[in-house]
Amino acid sequence: MEELCEQVEAYDSAAEAVREAEIRANTEAEELESYPEFEPDLKEQEIADLREDLREAERTAEDFDDLQSRIADIKAEIRQAKSDDQIETALADRDRALDDLQDQLEDDYAAMVGDVLVDHLQEATMETSRPDVFQRAREILATITRGRYRLDFDENEVEFRAFDESKQKGLGLDELSSGTRVQVLLAVRIAFVEQQEQGVRIPLLLDETLANTDDRRAKTIIESTIELARNGRQVFYFTAQGDEVAKWTAALESTNGVTHEIIDLATVRDVDDSVHIPDLESVESFTPKAPSRDGHDHASYGDELEVDSFNPHRGAGTAHLWYLVDDVETLQQLLELGVEHWGQLNNLLQWGNGDLSSVDSDQITVAEENAAALSEFVDAWKVGRGEPVDREALEASGAVSGNFIDEVTALAESVNGDGRQIVDALHDGEVNRFRSGKANKLETYLEENGYIEPRETLDHGQIRARVIERYVDEGVSRSEAKDRTDELLSRLGQA
């Protein structure tokens, strides 16, 4: 006890040192955060890294003046970040004052880090630990849907899901059309069959599979099966229905790269009960027909295609290939293969074995570079712009009752889901009798859930600079990167 009493004065001195160190640390942190250009991750960066950011910005700005102010801001950020040395000194003082507790803390931290590492490893290995059959089913689904859908597996719900690459939206199997569910089922079954094969591909036998299906579902089954045949799988289709023979014939005759033969068993057996095959002159073409490129340059071909405006909120995967494929001939070729959006093409390049071998690989590379630049544009454009507000978000906020939901939803649509404009309009009384308190509640919800962004948006020059750098990162020369950036921004209506 006497020994502990003798340590009281030292303990009080150490505690006072801790308090002073914490005060200094908090003061320095508050001063750093008060600067206009402060960003939270600056305190985590090294001075050398910030200096390298400065050098990259200076290289980006060497040929134009409108980024000079940004370079000055970065220099200011470096000067501000130097105060980290003072913070680190204060923290070191505090650590020295707490040496007596360090052993126990290290034990606790070791246990904590162990848990974090386990979680990280589980996440990192989730994809690789899945059975090969799942990976193969994903490849097959990408192929037979021409990249439209990617097969996913929900680890929590233990169920398959399909991700629509054109809409960048995940769907449960019960949310899919009957035709797409058939494609998922076919992909999974074929994948399981392949796991049992030993070097030789087993033929696929189908017996009147089109019976009792509508035309849309029959079209899906036929197209999916043809894609399997295109990739080397032999298919036998048995039917006694003449209209099914006509559908298969129409599809196969309009498909390149797949040979077929029709065998009438009545003829083989020399009997007189051959199936009558109707002339289906009105059969819908199974091969998508894109408008002819003749007489068109890239811009006019986009007009001919009536390409929808690109919505950055929906992500680069939803972009029509016109935005990314520079060569008009290649663009038409991809469209006639049924590949219309970047998400589809990217899915095929990653997982599928679709008929892309005939497409110029150099043009595919150009499209991939443009897609990387488009992704950078999307990320830069989203700075300071929250997610678009829709009816679902308004209902989830709890601030908009059933009496007002239709009016407020219409208001949201009129401003393209801009959360800030919606709240301002409600405060201005644009929805009659909508109370100010409810508008404040809605504003709080939108801010807390990412619909209203506190950061300022980037200007055109800042966005352009980021896109140029992304092209450079993809291996494009800086002079070419500038030209291609201007072309991409022009296509997006951001010139």
Side-chain angles (χ1 to χ4, degrees), residues 214-333:
D214 57 28
D215 289 342
R216 180 178 294 276
R217 188 175 176 185
K219 178 177 182 290
T220 299
I221 294 172
I222 291 173
E223 287 182 332
S224 300
T225 306
I226 287 175
E227 289 302 319
L228 292 173
R230 193 195 304 278
N231 285 278
R233 174 81 54 182
Q234 188 177 29
V235 179
F236 290 90
Y237 189 89
F238 298 92
T239 183
Q241 308 301 319
D243 62 321
E244 293 187 13
V245 177
K247 291 176 181 177
W248 279 99
T249 301
L252 288 164
E253 287 181 348
S254 62
T255 300
N256 296 323
V258 178
T259 59
H260 70 282
E261 182 179 359
I262 299 175
I263 300 175
D264 188 340
L265 295 181
T267 301
V268 173
R269 293 180 297 171
D270 196 22
V271 296
D272 295 329
D273 56 351
S274 295
V275 173
H276 172 67
I277 302 175
D279 182 14
L280 300 183
E281 294 181 354
S282 61
V283 170
E284 178 185 357
S285 173
F286 285 78
T287 301
K289 294 297 183 184
S292 172
R293 67 181 184 278
D294 293 343
H296 286 294
D297 59 14
H298 190 273
S300 64
Y301 194 52
D303 294 335
E304 180 71 19
L305 293 171
E306 297 181 346
V307 175
D308 290 336
S309 298
F310 175 64
N311 183 351
H313 275 303
R314 298 177 61 192
T318 65
H320 192 284
L321 287 180
W322 176 82
Y323 291 103
L324 305 173
V325 179
D326 294 347
D327 180 65
V328 176
E329 180 179 355
T330 302
L331 175 57
Q332 182 182 0
Q333 190 176 3

Side-chain angles (χ1 to χ4, degrees), residues 99-138:
D99 280 345
D100 291 341
L101 299 175
Q102 193 61 41
D103 291 341
Q104 183 60 50
L105 284 174
E106 287 179 354
D107 291 339
D108 293 341
Y109 288 155
M112 183 186 301
V113 171
D115 290 340
V116 172
L117 285 174
V118 169
D119 292 341
H120 172 72
L121 289 173
Q122 286 177 341
E123 181 178 352
T125 58
M126 184 178 294
E127 194 74 21
T128 57
S129 65
R130 287 173 177 161
D132 291 341
V133 66
F134 172 80
Q135 303 296 344
R136 180 57 183 147
R138 174 177 276 186

